[in-house]
Amino acid sequence: MENKTILITGGAGFIGSHVVRLFVNKYPNYKIINLDNLTYAGNLANLKDIEDKPNYKFVKGDIVDGAAMYKLFEDEKFEAVIHLAAESHVDRSISNPTEFVFTNVIGTVNLLNAANRTWKDNFEGKLFYHVSTDEVYGSLGHEGLFTETSNYDPHSPYSASKASSDHFVRAYFDTYGLPSLISNCSNNYGSYQFPEKLIPLFINNIRNNQPLPVYGKGLNIRDWLWVEDHARAIDVIFHKGKLGSTYNIGGHNEWTNIDLIKIMCTILDGKLGREKGSSEKLITYVKDRAGHDLRYAIDSTKLKNELDWVPSLQFEKGLEKTIDWYLANVDWMESVTSGNYQDYYAKQYAKH
Ligand code: NAD
Ligand code: DAU
């Protein structure tokens, strides 16, 4: 494998840390530079196992700072970018949409500008890979799947900001020829996910015997994918994806929230030695999320047919593995839920 210097943004976050780990371990010839400004969601403890590897470097920086991004590109001479840095939580986007415009839209445009200016005399061998979400397609009814040609129809400030960033990436491909690709993935689960998202939040609350705040009737449907399968898909798309293309990534694994929550309760009753049915008693139906998308489900046939990727891990096994990880890493959970998290939790759930 040839030498390459790759910028991974948002590498201290949930998915980013899995992508950084995969690339650092699998490609010793690549120099991986992880740029992250360590917001509440970024945590260097997520990368403890690889932080001393010779092909890894961490840079603290803010993608909203365009001049700093340009300087970083000049200094480091990246051949490629895998862009994951973002504000990623829908509920926070409802409380503070502007933050999402800065990071997700302006931050992405800053990186596109830096790549375009630095690479413009020779686009050969360069790649800007933008990691996006299935939420840009909006909400499905009970039938159908999102394909790469589904219309964009975002509903939350988060998904609107991600949709906007996707449009900018395509605009730079069409206008300047900037070599780029995009993938749109469904809901990820696994280790190191910040406990504002459904699965780690509910694991933590069950462990602490706290109420489980189910939005609405719990009948919204998500398509869950193990985060390490997402990282594997990003690896394949990065190396073999067609420039200018979009790839949908999903688990073919749809669950209503309430069914998923009940399985988590059953698994945790067993693991925590509690009486069967006791965790389910923590379920509390609360006011629905504003603009709550009913259903996401991805058709990833293109990725399977063109690049031979399929998910590797069956969901119930993956969920149990994930629960085991959180139970074995209570220190990690306690460190990320101290301080500001308590304020966030109190404010967020007072609204519901
Ligand atoms: P996350 O919130 O766990 O991590 C985001 C990371 O970006 C954090 O480390 C944070 O510190 C960093 N960051 C935020 N603002 C920054 C800034 N201004 N400058 C530099 N770094 C900044 O998010 P995640 O769940 O790992 O998602 C990563 C990417 O994947 C996002 O682009 C998200 O839209 C996309 N995505 C997520 C999912 C999912 O289920 N979590 C699914 C599909 C796509
Ligand atoms: O589909 C991909 C997207 O998945 C990513 O782009 C986002 O970054 C990621 O956060 C995720 O978005 P969701 O809104 O689907 O994930 P979240 O974990 O916040 O919620 C999952 C479902 O659970 C959703 O229907 C809302 C519901 N929910 C969530 C929370 C936090 C509850 O019922 N109660 C809760 O407290």
Side-chain angles (χ1 to χ4, degrees):
M1 193 63 70
E2 65 188 298
N3 296 333
K4 259 186 210 295
T5 302
I6 304 173
L7 171 67
I8 300 186
T9 71
F14 166 49
I15 302 170
S17 63
H18 286 280
V19 175
V20 167
R21 179 175 296 101
L22 176 71
F23 273 69
V24 165
N25 286 331
K26 186 168 173 188
Y27 303 108
N29 288 4
Y30 291 174
K31 184 173 164 196
I32 303 299
I33 300 192
N34 169 17
L35 172 86
D36 199 298
N37 73 343
L38 303 180
T39 66
Y40 76 91
N43 186 352
L44 290 179
N46 297 359
L47 291 164
K48 265 258 156 290
D49 53 320
I50 56 106
E51 69 186 5
D52 294 327
K53 296 265 180 170
N55 62 336
Y56 171 71
K57 178 166 132 184
F58 172 69
V59 174
K60 187 170 188 313
D62 185 351
I63 61 170
V64 179
D65 183 346
M69 291 307 102
Y70 186 46
K71 181 161 187 320
L72 186 70
F73 272 72
E74 291 273 284
D75 291 348
E76 299 284 357
K77 312 269 180 280
F78 303 117
E79 271 98 10
V81 178
I82 306 177
H83 174 38
L84 297 112
E87 287 294 335
S88 68
H89 191 41
V90 173
D91 291 329
R92 289 186 195 253
S93 82
I94 295 168
S95 314
N96 185 5
T98 313
E99 191 77 30
F100 284 67
V101 177
F102 281 120
T103 298
N104 298 357
V105 185
I106 296 175
T108 301
V109 172
N110 284 340
L111 291 168
L112 289 167
N113 283 337
N116 201 30
R117 277 194 229 146
T118 319
W119 297 343
K120 66 177 183 313
D121 295 330
N122 184 10
F123 279 147
E124 195 57 42
K126 307 292 194 301
L127 176 63
F128 191 105
Y129 179 168
H130 178 61
V131 176
S132 192
T133 171
D134 60 357
E135 298 198 14
V136 299
Y137 300 123
S139 183
L140 291 163
H142 285 284
E143 298 294 316
L145 299 171
F146 294 133
T147 70
E148 287 80 1
T149 55
S150 295
N151 288 335
Y152 272 41
D153 183 22
H155 297 129
S156 73
Y158 163 69
S159 53
S161 69
K162 290 297 289 187
S164 170
S165 65
D166 291 9
H167 291 319
F168 273 103
V169 174
R170 287 198 186 95
Y172 275 59
F173 179 81
D174 292 340
T175 308
Y176 309 109
L178 183 79
S180 58
L181 3 109
I182 302 177
S183 58
N184 296 83
C185 189
S186 63
N187 287 61
N188 285 213
Y189 72 95
S191 52
Y192 300 111
Q193 186 169 31
F194 193 79
E196 60 190 351
K197 310 281 166 55
L198 181 75
I199 290 182
L201 188 148
F202 278 40
I203 294 172
N204 193 37
N205 284 15
I206 294 171
R207 194 176 66 82
N208 291 316
N209 266 312
Q210 296 296 313
L212 304 176
V214 179
Y215 296 162
K217 295 192 167 75
L219 295 177
N220 302 69
I221 294 171
R222 297 293 182 264
D223 171 0
W224 293 95
L225 178 70
W226 188 41
V227 64
E228 294 187 36
D229 278 332
H230 187 189
R232 279 179 45 245
I234 289 174
D235 179 15
V236 179
I237 295 166
F238 178 84
H239 287 99
K240 298 193 193 142
K242 196 165 148 270
L243 291 181
S245 284
T246 295
Y247 294 90
N248 278 357
I249 311 171
H252 285 291
N253 177 42
E254 296 180 45
W255 290 84
T256 60
N257 293 338
I258 195 64
D259 287 345
L260 167 58
I261 291 160
K262 286 184 176 167
I263 296 191
M264 287 199 281
C265 288
T266 304
I267 299 177
L268 275 151
D269 280 345
K271 298 210 180 267
L272 297 170
R274 292 183 184 164
E275 194 185 323
K276 209 164 168 252
S278 55
S279 300
E280 273 193 29
K281 295 194 185 119
L282 299 169
I283 290 174
T284 312
Y285 291 92
V286 298
K287 189 171 153 220
D288 209 353
R289 173 186 275 173
H292 198 172
D293 287 334
L294 175 67
R295 173 173 168 255
Y296 306 140
I298 279 276
D299 179 352
S300 53
T301 310
K302 178 179 173 186
L303 187 54
K304 179 169 182 248
N305 290 349
E306 279 188 23
L307 305 182
D308 206 20
W309 174 93
V310 286
S312 74
L313 191 64
Q314 192 263 346
F315 183 61
E316 279 91 335
K317 284 205 183 95
L319 189 60
E320 184 165 357
K321 201 176 157 97
T322 300
I323 289 173
D324 285 339
W325 187 88
Y326 286 98
L327 294 181
N329 289 276
V330 168
D331 288 355
W332 179 91
M333 183 60 92
E334 284 180 354
S335 73
V336 301
T337 52
S338 61
N340 291 343
Y341 180 83
Q342 300 300 330
D343 296 340
Y344 161 76
Y345 197 92
K347 279 195 198 122
Q348 172 60 28
Y349 291 95
K351 289 183 221 149
H352 287 277

